[in-house]
Amino acid sequence: QAKLGEHEHELLEMNTNSGTLRQTYNELLEFKLVLSKAGSILAASQNHATPADHELDEHIYDKEVDDGNGYLLEQGIHQGASESGVRFVSGIILKSKALAFERMLFRTTRGNMFFNEASAGEPVMDPSSGEEVEKTVFVVFFSGEQAKAKILRICASFGANCYPVPEEIVKQRQIFREVSSRLSDLEVTLDAGTQHRNKALESVGSQLWRWILMVKKEKAVYDTLNMLNFDVTKKCLVGEGWCPIFAKSQIEDVLQRATLHSNSQVGIIFHEMDTIDSPPTYFRTDKFTNAFQEIVDAYGVGRYEEINPAVYSVITFPFLFAVMFGDWGHGICLLLGALFLILREKKLSSQKLDSFTEMAFGGRYVILLMALFSIYCGLIYNEFFSVPFHIFGKSAYACRENSCSDAYTAGLVKVRDPYPFGVDPSWRGSRSELPFLNSLKMKMSILMGVSQMNLGILLSYFDAKFHKNALDIRYQFIPQLIFLNSLFGYLSLLILIKWCTGSKADLYHVMIYMFLDPAGDLGENQLFWGQKELQILLLLLALVAVPWMLFPKPFILKKLHKERFQGHSYRFLGTSEMDPDSEPDSARSRHDDFNFGEVFVHQMIHSIEFVLGAVSNTASYLRLWALSLAHSELSTVFYEKLLLFAWGYDSLIFKLVGLIVFAFATAFILLGMESLSAFLHALRLHWVEFMNKFYHGDGYKFKPFSFATLADDEE
């Protein structure tokens, strides 16, 4: 701090002196310009003619007049000034203000003045602002002291700088030489000051960051010490804070060593306190799990000892991304990008990156898992840049006839066992490709959505069990599980049975008439024996689950509250002057904290939100089907309309252009925009559909005192 303050004082003094010298230098430059231009104007006014161009130059004072004109001119000026009493004021003003300045002078003096001006030529450095501006040199001829006072006030109001120009040519030449000499001296002084300042800045620059970091550490220490309080005797400081349980013994050892190193006569007492405040939340993460934890924390920091969704998001998040981005060719491209970031992480972590690269580098392991799952889902979809391959054996379908020329029109027949893994490549290009993939991906999306929502409800059970909250288990977890599975769990069961049996039942019809006509005959839509009775039972359970969620919990909480404080509202007898509400921690004040209306409204909102959300969240998972289909079709369009179209020409240039356009479209649209779209949709599914079943996210982070974070801290 002392070194930094010393250098800071020196630099401030240098800047102040340099600024003063620079202002003086600019003023002298203006004075020199006014001497040159005003002298020419005065010479022209005495000769009653416009001066020649060479006389307007500033070097007229460097030439000796050998024909006597200088003497006559000098004598004429003196005589004119002495006999007629005409005086003049010379100066320089902004070119933009010159016209208004002249008009104001004319009106103020009522025309009793003569205004002459000459352009400064090149832009001039303004002494007050230090900026280059266009200016005009002026000379105002007048008569009388009152006119002089008015003109000077107008010059001051317009920001014009007035400089004294003598009438005699000899004095003008003498002052011109003195100003030029002074300007040369100031240039030398300014150059020397600039060099000295640059050397000082170079010496400071090598150690500035280390000094700033040292000052930050000192300020952070004192800022933390300011949070401590004096004890009753005011002889020691008492501080209260949070620390992880696993670090307790480590902190005690550090405090003991600090006592020994400081030679303190009084030891440091480390005591564990009981508090009703909620502790901060801290999760130990590494470079692999940190990005997933940041995704969860962006939704909200968990409460203390609340279940952490990041543990499950490590798998579910990249998998749901891959369901929408399934193409093992695109997955390989993502994998190469992730491996590049991982292999160069030591070098990249020490560099300053732009915002996009820094975001990609921070989520390099998320991209790695997304790429691996995309390759897996791409193998299931059997798509490599939308092209199917016979990787796991031959297709289960063949042409009806020996010739395959009409395979797309006459159709295919099954000739062997099903394709061992993923979608059969023969579906590609067939007439039933789109209906088949639509049905497959839509049903698959529902199954995944119901599974993940059930996982969220199941996690709410473990969270309630950990906190020993039996009310949430009985009147929240159980009815929610019953309601969701009575409707959409049953739909998932029907999908699985239809896949296994090959039935042609219309599941839309089954689910709609489950509500409209529960006792109606199913006919061709019956998938198993006892289906109608099961549907009636499930519908009744769903109807019972709604009031089960809504009513019992608020009334039970009210009853428990009354039993807890029954008889506690009685007080000791006292005088009538005693205020029954004077004790803030009394049983009465605690008794008034419970508001049955608020509890009931909160439970009603929660129940309605879950019932409506069960429908909307299930429908929201259909985005898995929609984005997967859109990604597949867009990839097909690029492959067929760009690559194959260009490959149909014999020209090498056409093929090369088609390949380049296909590569750019794949890189920027499919790998760039589509991956970002799938990422955002997977993020929404986790935040809204999955985490709201069990995660509150209204805690606060544990932020320990650390010197390591001061380098990145801007405050």
Side-chain angles (χ1 to χ4, degrees):
Q1 280 178 299
K3 290 181 180 179
L4 186 60
E6 180 182 345
H7 283 281
E8 184 180 5
H9 178 73
E10 181 183 357
L11 289 172
L12 285 175
E13 186 176 355
M14 289 171 59
N15 284 334
T16 303
N17 295 335
S18 176
T20 304
L21 290 175
R22 180 64 62 181
Q23 184 176 359
T24 305
Y25 180 78
N26 292 333
E27 289 176 352
L28 288 175
L29 279 178
E30 279 193 350
F31 189 21
K32 183 179 179 181
L33 182 63
V34 170
L35 279 171
S36 173
K37 301 295 181 179
S40 301
I41 293 173
L42 290 173
S45 64
Q46 292 299 323
N47 290 334
H48 302 287
T50 304
D53 292 339
H54 71 277
E55 292 179 353
L56 293 175
D57 189 68
E58 64 181 22
H59 299 290
I60 61 173
Y61 300 120
D62 297 334
K63 296 186 292 185
E64 295 293 337
V65 182
D66 55 357
D67 56 355
N69 291 335
Y71 174 77
L72 294 176
L73 176 63
E74 182 180 336
Q75 189 70 20
I77 293 174
H78 178 71
Q79 288 178 356
S82 60
E83 293 177 2
S84 62
V86 176
R87 302 179 183 182
F88 66 90
V89 172
S90 58
I92 190 169
I93 191 173
L94 289 174
K95 191 174 182 179
S96 59
K97 297 181 179 180
L99 184 60
F101 178 64
E102 181 182 0
R103 191 174 299 166
M104 180 60 71
L105 289 174
F106 183 83
R107 291 177 179 174
T108 305
T109 59
R110 298 183 179 180
N112 295 320
M113 66 92 191
F114 179 74
F115 183 85
N116 207 338
E117 62 179 341
S119 176
E122 297 180 356
V124 181
M125 190 70 70
D126 188 70
S128 58
S129 64
E131 298 178 355
E132 286 191 351
V133 292
E134 293 185 355
K135 289 195 172 185
T136 298
V137 178
F138 65 88
V139 178
V140 182
F141 296 93
F142 61 92
S143 177
E145 289 294 332
Q146 292 183 355
K148 179 181 179 181
K150 292 179 181 179
I151 291 172
L152 291 177
R153 284 198 298 270
I154 294 173
C155 290
S157 64
F158 274 82
N161 297 327
C162 296
Y163 296 97
V165 177
E167 297 179 2
E168 295 82 0
I169 294 295
V170 176
K171 290 185 178 180
Q172 291 180 14
R173 291 173 182 172
Q174 182 182 357
I175 294 175
F176 189 87
R177 294 189 188 98
E178 291 177 358
V179 170
S180 299
S181 175
R182 181 76 187 280
L183 284 172
S184 300
D185 295 341
L186 283 176
E187 286 180 358
V188 174
T189 305
L190 287 172
D191 291 340
T194 302
Q195 293 177 1
H196 180 63
R197 183 178 60 184
N198 291 339
K199 289 181 180 179
L201 289 174
E202 288 176 0
S203 63
V204 170
S206 59
Q207 304 181 17
L208 181 62
W209 177 246
R210 185 169 58 86
W211 291 345
I212 290 176
L213 190 59
M214 190 181 302
V215 172
K216 283 186 175 182
K217 289 181 179 180
E218 291 290 331
K219 288 176 66 177
V221 169
Y222 282 104
D223 182 63
T224 305
L225 288 175
N226 287 335
M227 299 180 186
L228 305 182
N229 298 318
F230 280 108
D231 70 332
V232 179
T233 60
K234 293 188 177 182
K235 294 182 179 180
C236 64
L237 294 174
V238 178
E240 298 178 1
W242 302 101
C243 75
I245 296 176
F246 66 86
K248 182 180 176 182
S249 58
Q250 183 180 355
I251 294 173
E252 290 177 344
D253 295 339
V254 171
L255 292 177
Q256 289 178 0
R257 278 184 280 140
T259 305
L260 294 175
H261 291 166
S262 61
N263 297 323
S264 176
Q265 297 178 357
V266 180
I268 299 175
I269 301 173
F270 185 82
H271 175 64
E272 186 175 349
M273 299 175 59
D274 294 328
T275 178
I276 59 173
D277 295 334
S278 177
T281 304
Y282 173 65
F283 295 111
R284 281 187 286 181
T285 59
D286 53 19
K287 60 183 181 180
F288 180 81
T289 58
N290 182 65
F292 294 98
Q293 188 63 55
E294 290 295 328
I295 290 174
V296 173
D297 290 345
Y299 174 83
V301 180
R303 293 178 180 177
Y304 181 66
E305 293 186 337
E306 185 178 17
I307 197 165
N308 186 14
V311 178
Y312 308 93
S313 299
V314 172
I315 299 299
T316 59
F317 183 83
F319 179 71
L320 290 184
F321 169 88
V323 171
M324 296 178 278
F325 195 75
D327 188 302
W328 61 281
H330 299 153
I332 290 174
C333 295
L334 282 181
L335 180 63
L336 294 176
L339 291 177
F340 172 79
L341 295 174
I342 291 172
L343 294 176
R344 296 174 62 88
E345 65 180 11
K346 288 185 178 180
K347 182 178 180 181
L348 293 175
S349 60
S350 61
Q351 295 178 354
K352 186 173 181 61
L353 307 174
D354 58 90
S355 57
F356 179 79
T357 308
E358 185 179 4
M359 180 180 62
F361 178 72
R364 58 194 180 277
Y365 290 102
V366 179
I367 299 175
L368 175 66
L369 287 185
M370 291 193 304
L372 294 175
F373 279 106
S374 295
I375 295 173
Y376 171 73
C377 290
L379 291 173
I380 292 179
Y381 296 157
N382 202 347
E383 291 185 6
F384 179 82
F385 296 100
S386 78
V387 180
F389 284 88
H390 294 76
I391 302 175
F392 301 101
K394 295 182 178 180
S395 172
Y397 300 93
C399 298
R400 294 178 183 272
E401 301 175 357
N402 295 331
S403 175
C404 280
S405 60
D406 59 347
Y408 295 156
T409 56
L412 303 173
V413 292
K414 190 173 182 179
V415 295
R416 60 179 64 89
D417 292 336
Y419 192 68
F421 185 83
V423 177
D424 196 303
S426 294
W427 285 104
R428 172 74 178 182
S430 64
R431 291 176 297 176
S432 55
E433 176 193 8
L434 196 57
F436 168 73
L437 292 179
N438 265 339
S439 176
L440 172 67
K441 293 182 178 181
M442 181 176 64
K443 293 180 174 64
M444 182 182 64
S445 301
I446 294 175
L447 291 176
M448 291 179 182
V450 173
S451 300
Q452 191 175 32
M453 287 191 291
N454 272 301
L455 174 62
I457 296 174
L458 189 63
L459 291 178
S460 70
Y461 163 75
F462 289 108
D463 191 60
K465 183 179 179 181
F466 178 82
H467 293 94
K468 298 179 180 179
N469 193 340
L471 282 178
D472 284 348
I473 296 176
R474 295 173 187 171
Y475 305 107
Q476 191 164 302
F477 162 71
I478 295 177
Q480 286 182 357
L481 193 67
I482 291 174
F483 182 84
L484 180 66
N485 289 286
S486 295
L487 302 180
F488 301 104
Y490 173 64
L491 175 61
S492 303
L493 177 64
L494 294 180
I495 291 173
L496 294 175
I497 294 175
K498 183 177 179 179
W499 278 351
C500 294
T501 60
S503 173
K504 296 183 179 180
D506 187 359
L507 299 186
Y508 295 108
H509 184 277
V510 173
M511 293 304 297
I512 290 173
Y513 280 89
M514 177 179 175
F515 295 93
L516 298 181
D517 188 12
D521 187 17
L522 294 173
E524 297 179 353
N525 296 319
Q526 184 166 349
L527 291 168
F528 55 89
W529 179 85
Q531 181 179 353
K532 182 174 68 174
E533 290 75 13
L534 179 61
Q535 287 184 174
I536 295 173
L537 177 61
L538 293 176
L539 186 60
L540 292 175
L541 287 175
L543 293 176
V544 170
V546 176
W548 191 352
M549 280 188 286
L550 176 59
F551 294 109
K553 186 177 177 180
F555 288 99
I556 293 175
L557 286 175
K558 182 179 180 181
K559 180 182 178 183
L560 292 175
H561 184 78
K562 286 184 177 180
E563 291 178 353
R564 181 182 178 187
F565 294 102
Q566 187 175 6
H568 290 191
S569 58
Y570 293 102
R571 302 165 55 92
F572 292 106
L573 293 177
T575 63
S576 58
E577 297 177 357
M578 294 180 63
D579 185 4
D581 297 326
S582 60
E583 299 179 19
D585 295 331
S586 64
R588 179 169 179 173
S589 64
R590 293 196 303 267
H591 181 71
D592 292 338
D593 289 341
F594 182 80
N595 191 325
F596 175 75
E598 291 183 3
V599 173
F600 187 82
V601 170
H602 178 270
Q603 187 66 22
M604 181 175 63
I605 293 173
H606 184 77
S607 302
I608 295 174
E609 182 184 8
F610 179 82
V611 172
L612 297 179
V615 181
S616 63
N617 293 349
T618 306
S620 182
Y621 276 95
L622 292 177
R623 71 184 68 234
L624 298 174
W625 155 54
L627 266 76
S628 173
L629 191 64
H631 182 83
S632 175
E633 293 300 317
L634 198 59
S635 181
T636 302
V637 168
F638 289 155
Y639 174 72
E640 293 181 352
K641 303 301 180 183
L642 290 178
L643 192 62
L644 292 185
F645 178 76
W647 232 251
Y649 291 88
D650 295 332
S651 174
L652 181 62
I653 297 177
F654 267 88
K655 293 181 179 179
L656 186 61
V657 170
L659 181 61
I660 292 174
V661 174
F662 173 76
F664 273 92
T666 301
F668 290 103
I669 297 179
L670 294 178
L671 294 178
M673 296 174 60
E674 282 286 313
S675 62
L676 180 60
S677 174
F679 179 89
L680 293 176
H681 283 284
L683 194 66
R684 183 244 152 77
L685 289 176
H686 276 76
W687 282 358
V688 179
E689 277 71 33
F690 173 57
M691 288 165 53
N692 72 344
K693 301 292 186 298
F694 64 95
Y695 188 64
H696 294 92
D698 54 358
Y700 62 102
K701 267 188 176 183
F702 173 63
K703 295 181 179 179
F705 179 82
S706 173
F707 285 146
T709 58
L710 290 177
D712 300 328
D713 191 8
E714 297 181 356
E715 297 181 0

